[in-house]
Amino acid sequence: MPELPEVQSIISGLNRTILGKHLNRIDEHRKGTVFNEENYTEFGEIVDISRRGKYIIILTSDRIKIIIHLRMTGKLIYRSREIKTNKHTRATLVFQDGSALLFDDVRTFGRIEIYRAEDIVAAIETLGPEPLREDFGKKYLSMILKSRTAPIKNLLLNQRIIAGLGNIYASEILHRAGILPTRPGNNLSGNEIGSIVNNTKKVLLEAIEAGGTTISDYRQVENKAGSYQKMLKVYGKDFCSCGSRLNRIKLAGRSTFYCVKCQS
DNA sequence: ACCGCGTCCTGTTAGC
DNA sequence: TGCTAACAGGACGCGG
């Protein structure tokens, strides 16, 4: 599942491969993948590629922005010339030089939306702060959490509170911070909130450095796997590094892993 | 305002 | 061995 570090790695890959290229067209191979395409025939060159939360934002010289969300199984794969699609290819961005960017997505939840550059996109507008920026700090998180009774894990998954975390990193961050995922938000001490903030930044930076976490579907733009899966401490594991068996429960409908000895 | 659950989807795996 | 059901989860809409 692409979360912030995976999306960040994809942004890097897109900058290496498609920045500056002239986008001829976007082919949709499966209905319900590309939205608003009918309003646009010309795109121009790719002039900027960025990220907000888990949303990929591609800006073109014709002042068009292409917003891509990969959801769970979406992949963006670059092909320099041999453009072979497969049964899960949902759309293709075709460039003038004969190269292409394939949008593969097994579970078809991902989507591509096209807007004018100046359009306000509600989904992005309502996102919480970027965890790696300074406005995501102890002061901000304390302010948010004081009125929240939901489990901290659920709150970390709420994109309006913090943008970019998903199920894997939420479990990893809470393990590093030594905090049980079930703790109500308004029950955490200042020190604990500070630890969540620090460990969020630490885990995300390490995961970006590793090129993301590849468990099954995620691949970088050049189709390479990331390596942070080797550094996971709890997600998908049976035992903690302390030797205790990990607990596995469902929170917000997602598998949640924690150690009763290391987290309280 | 906030919380939790159901929904969308398909490949993989667990269980009988 | 072969079939079925459960499972994986990001975002969103809805009811309480």
Side-chain angles (χ1 to χ4, degrees):
Chain A
M1 313 124 246
E3 305 180 31
L4 189 152
E6 289 73 40
V7 176
Q8 188 63 49
S9 299
I10 288 165
I11 298 299
S12 303
L14 293 176
N15 274 307
R16 288 192 293 268
T17 53
I18 68 163
L19 186 65
K21 293 199 174 184
H22 186 101
L23 177 61
N24 275 1
R25 60 178 205 277
I26 300 177
D27 293 340
E28 184 184 44
H29 311 301
R30 186 189 196 272
K31 262 195 157 160
T33 305
V34 185
F35 293 79
N36 310 329
E37 189 190 13
E38 59 280 7
N39 305 331
Y40 305 93
T41 50
E42 301 281 322
F43 298 95
E45 281 89 43
I46 308 295
V47 295
D48 191 74
I49 302 160
S50 62
R51 172 191 70 70
R52 180 75 174 90
K54 302 173 203 168
Y55 291 86
I56 296 163
I57 306 168
I58 300 173
L59 203 65
T60 76
S61 56
D62 284 11
R63 303 288 301 155
I64 289 164
K65 68 180 163 193
I66 301 163
I67 296 181
I68 304 175
H69 199 302
L70 302 171
R71 295 290 186 104
M72 266 104 66
T73 54
K75 290 189 254 191
L76 291 175
I77 303 296
Y78 176 73
R79 298 267 188 246
S80 57
R81 55 191 115 102
E82 208 190 340
I83 304 169
K84 46 171 196 281
T85 59
N86 60 70
K87 66 172 174 172
H88 298 308
T89 304
R90 310 304 182 191
T92 309
L93 279 68
V94 181
F95 300 101
Q96 201 156 47
D97 67 354
S99 65
L101 188 67
L102 304 185
F103 179 61
D104 292 354
D105 187 10
V106 170
R107 270 183 271 179
T108 74
F109 286 179
R111 49 199 282 166
I112 298 176
E113 300 180 7
I114 306 170
Y115 299 94
R116 295 271 161 221
E118 63 273 16
D119 286 351
I120 289 174
V121 180
I124 290 181
E125 213 61 26
T126 54
L127 289 173
E130 283 293 325
L132 294 175
R133 298 186 81 101
E134 289 199 359
D135 55 347
F136 177 72
K138 186 176 167 183
K139 196 174 159 186
Y140 164 79
L141 194 57
S142 303
M143 189 258 295
I144 293 288
L145 294 185
K146 69 182 178 202
S147 63
R148 300 294 200 126
T149 58
I152 183 62
K153 162 96 181 315
N154 300 31
L155 298 169
L156 291 179
L157 291 176
N158 184 337
Q159 304 299 303
R160 291 172 185 238
I161 293 175
I162 172 173
L165 296 185
N167 197 44
I168 296 174
Y169 294 109
S171 275
E172 292 297 319
I173 288 164
L174 288 170
H175 178 259
R176 290 256 205 141
I179 294 165
L180 289 173
T182 47
R183 293 273 300 281
N186 62 1
N187 169 266
L188 297 168
S189 72
N191 279 347
E192 289 174 325
I193 294 172
S195 181
I196 290 175
V197 168
N198 294 339
N199 284 293
T200 296
K201 293 176 191 279
K202 219 180 279 181
V203 167
L204 292 179
L205 286 171
E206 288 176 17
I208 290 170
E209 182 68 29
T213 299
T214 296
I215 290 177
S216 55
D217 295 280
Y218 164 70
R219 290 293 182 282
Q220 296 168 19
V221 172
E222 296 96 334
N223 214 10
K224 287 188 301 200
S227 65
Y228 194 75
Q229 64 279 7
K230 294 174 191 161
M231 291 176 299
L232 296 174
K233 300 285 190 197
V234 288
Y235 182 85
K237 307 284 178 196
D238 292 324
F239 290 95
C240 181
S241 51
C242 79
S244 307
R245 177 170 273 282
L246 292 167
N247 278 26
R248 178 181 181 146
I249 60 171
K250 288 259 186 196
L251 282 180
R254 275 86 183 124
S255 299
T256 303
F257 300 82
Y258 63 93
C259 174
V260 284
K261 209 171 163 195
C262 301
Q263 293 169 259
S264 57

